[in-house]
């Protein structure tokens, strides 16, 4: 066992290294982190494939004894129906994406989600497309239900998306009903907070929130979510609203990156 | 490390990271998901002492930093400090009690999330989230969820490594 003095020295050394790393965070992320993360996209894709296969197999586990008793032909047909369910679901999702893609006048690149941020603080996802597919940093990312986030780090074959629910994400938004503006910031619990809403503004539960189109990243009018609570910032001259994103981020499987 | 080899410990942590990266996000309750990496670090710190907690914390944090979009190095520091904390608690409580283990995990999760909040506030300088709101909406649900998950996970890990006798633990 180490002595307490050595532990303190070790943690001090790690604190110094952390400070150096954090102060050079951009350089580190631009080189090593993106490369390592990019290299790991293949195992991530493979584990996603295994997961999908397991998901297809699980419904059959309980039916094994029944399968033995039943007629082979009937079972083969049942199995075919069961097997086609995930394909049908995927087909529905892709149709939905295609329909959505046609409905928005923007050029987009569809991409599959292969990983999620492992920490409880930040909210990001890893997608299976990168520079080679035309993804560029700071492109807005959408789903069929609404705004998802923006591209932050791009590798050759994968990219990291900063979700709107990340505390470092900031998006200019307006209430659809009365065009009241504010800024959307993320919360680690999967919701968002609309801040800097004027005190005299009329914001109610159930109001839809859309992008304001300010700045060059997010196009105007994309649905962001719905107001679920309104309150006054303690000690400030502003109101805030808690926003439930239109797209539940934990269930994202495919996204569209705007070119 | 004594009873638990480095290779075994790092394999467990790599598996935990893979689970967190791929599908653990689907099991969110009240916006929180259990932190398996933190569970591993707390387990190693609690059962093997501060040095093991420190070491596994640094490795787990570095692994998290690669896949996170956070400032590089924050997770390394947070997990190292949490590993050291759980290691420091390893002689202060009856670790074999499931209830104590769950309480320590809750405490360590809350500590790591609060530390992360403060570091992020210092480095980012523009965190718009209030600390009490963060505590209520994020820290408590995540802490409770991780503590609940720790009961079967710790039982399994203790079984795998046969950590029952006190002399085996240190």
């Amino acid at each position: 066992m180490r002595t307490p003095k050595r532990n303190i020295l070790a943690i001090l050394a790690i604190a110094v290294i952390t400070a150096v790393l954090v102060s050079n965070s951009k350089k580190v992320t631009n080189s090593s982190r993106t490369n390592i993360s990019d290299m790991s996209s293949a195992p991530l894709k493979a584990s996603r494939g295994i997961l999908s296969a397991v998901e297809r197999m699980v419904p059959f586990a309980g039916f094994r004894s029944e399968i033995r008793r039943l007629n082979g032909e009937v079972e083969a047909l049942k199995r075919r129906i069961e097997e086609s369910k995930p394909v049908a679901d995927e087909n529905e999702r892709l149709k939905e994406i295609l329909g959505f893609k046609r409905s928005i006048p923007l050029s987009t690149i569809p991409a599959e989600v292969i990983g999620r941020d492992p920490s409880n603080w930040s909210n990001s996802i890893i997608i299976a497309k990168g520079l080679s597919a035309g993804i560029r940093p700071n492109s807005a990312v959408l789903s069929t239900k609404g705004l998802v986030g923006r591209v932050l780090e791009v590798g050759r074959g994968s990219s990291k998306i900063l979700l709107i629910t990340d505390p470092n994400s900031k998006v200019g938004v307006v209430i659809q009903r009365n065009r009241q503006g504010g800024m959307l910031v993320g919360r680690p619990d999967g919701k968002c907070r609309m801040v800097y809403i004027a005190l005299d503004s009329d914001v109610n539960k159930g109001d839809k929130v859309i992008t304001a189109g300010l700045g060059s990243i997010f196009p105007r009018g994309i649905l962001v979510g719905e107001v679920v609570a309104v309150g006054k910032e303690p000690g400030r001259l502003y109101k805030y609203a808690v926003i439930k994103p239109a797209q539940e981020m934990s269930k994202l499987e495919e996204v569209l990156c705007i070119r | 490390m004594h009873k638990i080899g480095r290779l075994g410990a790092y394999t467990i942590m790599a598996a935990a990271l893979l689970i967190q990266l791929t599908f653990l996000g689907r099991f969110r309750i009240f916006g929180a998901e259990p932190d398996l990496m933190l569970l591993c670090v707390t387990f190693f710190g609690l059962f093997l002492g501060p040095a093991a907690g420190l070491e596994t914390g640094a490795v787990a944090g570095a692994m998290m930093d690669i896949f996170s979009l956070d400032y590089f190095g924050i997770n390394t520091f947070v997990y190292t400090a949490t590993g050291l904390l759980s290691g420091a608690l390893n002689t202060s409580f009856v670790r074999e009690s499931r209830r104590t283990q769950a309480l320590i995990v809750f405490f360590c999760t809350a500590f790591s999330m609060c530390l992360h909040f403060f570091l992020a506030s210092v480095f980012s300088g523009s965190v718009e989230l209030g600390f009490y709101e963060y505590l209520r909406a994020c820290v408590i649900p995540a802490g409770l969820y991780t503590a609940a998950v720790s009961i079967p996970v710790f039982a399994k890990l203790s079984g795998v490594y046969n950590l029952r006798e006190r002399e085996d633990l240190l």
Side-chain angles (χ1 to χ4, degrees):
Chain A
M1 287 234 335
R2 288 188 192 185
T3 58
K5 267 188 185 171
R6 285 184 67 183
N7 284 332
I8 291 165
L9 280 177
I11 201 158
L12 277 176
I14 288 167
V16 170
I17 294 166
T18 307
V20 172
L21 282 174
V22 170
S23 58
N24 293 297
S25 190
K26 206 159 192 180
K27 284 180 203 160
V28 174
T29 51
N30 281 350
S31 52
S32 34
R33 178 156 79 173
T34 312
N35 288 338
I36 296 170
S37 175
D38 210 25
M39 277 191 290
S40 61
S41 64
L44 281 176
K45 278 179 207 168
S47 41
R48 191 178 154 74
I50 293 166
L51 190 68
S52 306
V54 170
E55 274 176 352
R56 277 180 211 171
M57 282 157 67
V58 165
F60 293 108
F63 299 146
R64 273 185 192 156
S65 58
E66 205 180 332
I67 286 167
R68 287 193 201 102
R69 286 188 288 109
L70 294 172
N71 185 296
E73 195 183 343
V74 175
E75 276 312 307
L77 286 170
K78 271 187 183 176
R79 182 179 288 191
R80 197 173 288 175
I81 291 165
E82 285 296 323
E83 277 174 354
S84 68
K85 268 185 184 171
V87 180
D89 289 347
E90 192 180 7
N91 194 14
E92 277 303 308
R93 275 205 319 271
L94 294 175
K95 266 186 187 171
E96 206 182 337
I97 285 180
L98 201 64
F100 181 73
K101 215 178 150 181
R102 280 183 191 142
S103 73
I104 52 167
L106 299 163
S107 173
T108 56
I109 306 163
E112 190 188 7
V113 177
I114 55 166
R116 283 162 210 284
D117 198 305
S119 80
N120 251 325
W121 170 257
S122 46
N123 280 317
S124 63
I125 51 170
I126 304 168
I127 57 168
K129 285 196 179 157
L131 280 171
S132 54
I135 308 277
R136 295 285 175 268
N138 281 328
S139 310
V141 180
L142 317 174
S143 76
T144 52
K145 290 178 180 157
L147 188 68
V148 168
R150 68 184 163 105
V151 179
L152 210 68
E153 286 177 15
V154 188
R156 217 169 348 139
S158 68
S159 310
K160 284 186 190 165
I161 314 294
L162 183 77
L163 299 178
I164 53 168
T165 51
D166 187 285
N168 290 315
S169 162
K170 289 172 181 70
V171 185
V173 291
V174 292
I175 302 285
Q176 194 176 32
R177 183 172 54 84
N178 55 13
R179 314 299 296 176
Q180 180 63 53
M183 187 172 76
L184 190 87
V185 292
R187 262 184 18 176
D189 66 341
K191 289 198 176 80
C192 299
R193 206 166 194 264
M194 185 175 167
V195 292
Y196 304 130
I197 307 172
L199 265 184
D200 59 350
S201 62
D202 170 33
V203 179
N204 300 322
K205 222 171 149 180
D207 280 345
K208 301 275 183 216
V209 176
I210 56 171
T211 50
L214 305 169
S216 56
I217 298 175
F218 301 104
R220 179 191 293 234
I222 304 280
L223 180 66
V224 174
E226 190 181 296
V227 176
V228 289
V230 184
K232 187 191 169 296
E233 296 272 15
R236 289 191 186 179
L237 297 169
Y238 299 107
K239 269 187 192 175
Y240 73 88
V242 179
I243 312 295
K244 187 184 175 200
Q247 171 66 54
E248 199 177 322
M249 303 300 170
S250 58
K251 290 182 179 159
L252 264 179
E253 292 196 29
E254 282 101 12
V255 292
L256 295 166
C257 304
I258 293 176
R259 277 182 211 269
Chain B
M1 285 183 213
H2 173 56
K3 185 87 176 168
I4 303 171
R6 278 192 171 81
L7 185 67
Y10 295 149
T11 308
I12 289 172
M13 291 202 305
L17 180 71
L18 192 66
I19 292 170
Q20 271 187 236
L21 277 169
T22 49
F23 66 91
L24 199 68
R26 294 182 191 189
F27 302 101
R28 279 184 171 243
I29 298 176
F30 296 115
E33 63 180 274
D35 192 337
L36 293 186
M37 292 294 269
L38 192 99
L39 267 189
C40 293
V41 172
T42 313
F43 178 83
F44 295 128
L46 199 59
F47 283 93
L48 299 171
L54 191 101
E55 182 188 321
T56 51
V59 173
M63 285 158 95
M64 302 271 284
D65 270 327
I66 291 169
F67 293 98
S68 177
L69 271 179
D70 218 342
Y71 285 94
F72 198 92
I74 283 191
N75 283 305
T76 307
F77 184 76
V78 167
Y79 280 73
T80 305
T82 311
L84 192 69
L85 174 75
S86 67
L89 295 173
N90 88 327
T91 48
S92 315
F93 297 95
V94 185
R95 301 165 293 203
E96 290 80 1
S97 155
R98 297 273 151 81
R99 205 175 298 167
T100 312
Q101 288 171 358
L103 267 173
I104 291 174
V105 169
F106 176 79
F107 178 66
C108 286
T109 311
F111 168 79
S112 76
M113 289 182 79
C114 292
L115 185 61
H116 205 137
F117 178 87
F118 288 118
L119 287 175
S121 304
V122 169
F123 288 116
S124 159
S126 61
V127 174
E128 293 287 340
L129 192 63
F131 179 68
Y132 291 109
E133 187 183 1
Y134 175 66
L135 204 65
R136 187 174 43 80
C138 309
V139 176
I140 292 172
L144 289 174
Y145 200 178
T146 309
V149 170
S150 76
I151 296 169
V153 172
F154 274 26
K156 186 75 189 164
L157 286 175
S158 302
V160 166
Y161 289 110
N162 204 17
L163 296 172
R164 290 197 186 93
E165 300 298 326
R166 197 163 177 79
E167 56 268 28
D168 277 347
L169 302 177
L170 292 171

